[in-house]
Amino acid sequence: MAAYDVHRGDAVHPGKPVTVDRYTVGARINHWITATSLVLLAISGLSMFHPSLFFLSGLFGGGPWVRFLHPWIGVVLFFGFLGLFIRFWKANLWKREDGTWLARVRDVLAAHDENLPEVGKYNAGQKFVFWAMSILIIVLITSGLVIWEQYFSAYTTLGQQRWALLIHSIAAVMAIGVWIIHVYAAIWVRGTIRAMTRGWVTGGWAWRHHRKWLRELVTMRSGEGSGSGSKPAE
């Protein structure tokens, strides 16, 4: 059994309904700091992207404040997502069932769950969002440092800064697109938002959407209760 799919704090609680702990308080705080940072970055970045969007800078106190705050919020985003990456990268490794899930995406959209394979804590769509954001945030922080004139202009050329700005803008638009997909999916799959606000889901939700993870969780916790089983991931 793969211990990477079960994290410390994951637990099943009997009752009516059965509830399953999915995210710890620390993981939820980490997530919302990252999410808030991404939204603030998107708004402040768009205010500098085109003159027609400059009015958004008023939310931050004007143009000078936007130019000052935007890169620092980017630093917060980077370290916030780094915390999520350390917590969840193992659970987002690609598995055989993910390819099958992706090949049957029409059944996913049509909610024909009986035609889908059992998946772990995250399905292929969630893993796509995780790895796409991982790559894009690395691109954003790297290119962002190049164009952070206050601290790094002396170490780069004007040509490098222009290329970095173009790459930064493209990566930002892509990141906003991935974020929209993430939010839409969270709203579309009923019960998902509760997992990241309250930390738990119902047993029925876990059985329907992440049955393999639920099986692993129950088996592992049973093994721990009898003095055996693998140690869950941090």
Side-chain angles (χ1 to χ4, degrees), residues 62-217:
W65 274 106
V66 165
R67 289 180 63 85
F68 172 76
L69 292 173
H70 183 80
W72 285 111
I73 299 173
V75 172
V76 174
L77 172 67
F78 174 76
F79 284 105
F81 192 83
L82 180 61
L84 292 178
F85 186 89
I86 293 172
R87 289 175 185 273
F88 300 123
W89 73 271
K90 288 185 179 180
N92 280 279
L93 294 175
W94 195 262
K95 297 298 173 183
R96 180 179 300 175
E97 61 268 17
D98 295 321
T100 303
W101 188 95
L102 196 59
R104 300 177 184 176
V105 68
R106 290 186 179 180
D107 290 317
V108 175
L109 297 176
H112 294 160
D113 300 312
E114 67 278 3
N115 297 330
L116 300 176
E118 295 185 5
V119 297
K121 192 164 188 175
Y122 301 107
N123 58 43
Q126 293 168 314
K127 291 179 179 181
F128 164 77
V129 169
F130 179 85
W131 291 109
M133 290 303 295
S134 298
I135 295 171
L136 288 171
I137 287 176
I138 291 175
V139 174
L140 286 169
I141 191 67
T142 303
S143 58
L145 291 176
V146 175
I147 60 178
W148 197 350
E149 295 182 358
Q150 183 177 1
Y151 296 106
F152 301 101
S153 61
Y155 306 102
T156 57
T157 66
L158 182 60
Q160 291 172 336
Q161 292 173 20
R162 287 174 174 171
W163 275 108
L165 181 59
L166 176 61
I167 293 171
H168 192 82
S169 300
I170 294 173
V173 171
M174 294 175 67
I176 292 173
V178 173
W179 176 81
I180 291 173
I181 293 172
H182 174 62
V183 173
Y184 177 80
I187 296 173
W188 180 54
V189 180
R190 187 176 180 181
T192 300
I193 294 179
R194 178 176 53 208
M196 196 47 74
T197 55
R198 301 182 185 180
W200 59 271
V201 296
T202 63
W205 185 95
W207 179 259
R208 179 179 180 181
H209 300 293
H210 300 275
R211 191 170 303 180
K212 182 181 177 183
W213 169 65
L214 182 61
R215 290 184 190 276
E216 293 172 347
L217 176 57

Side-chain angles (χ1 to χ4, degrees), residues 35-46:
T36 302
S37 300
L38 183 60
V39 172
L40 292 176
L41 277 173
I43 296 173
S44 58
L46 287 172

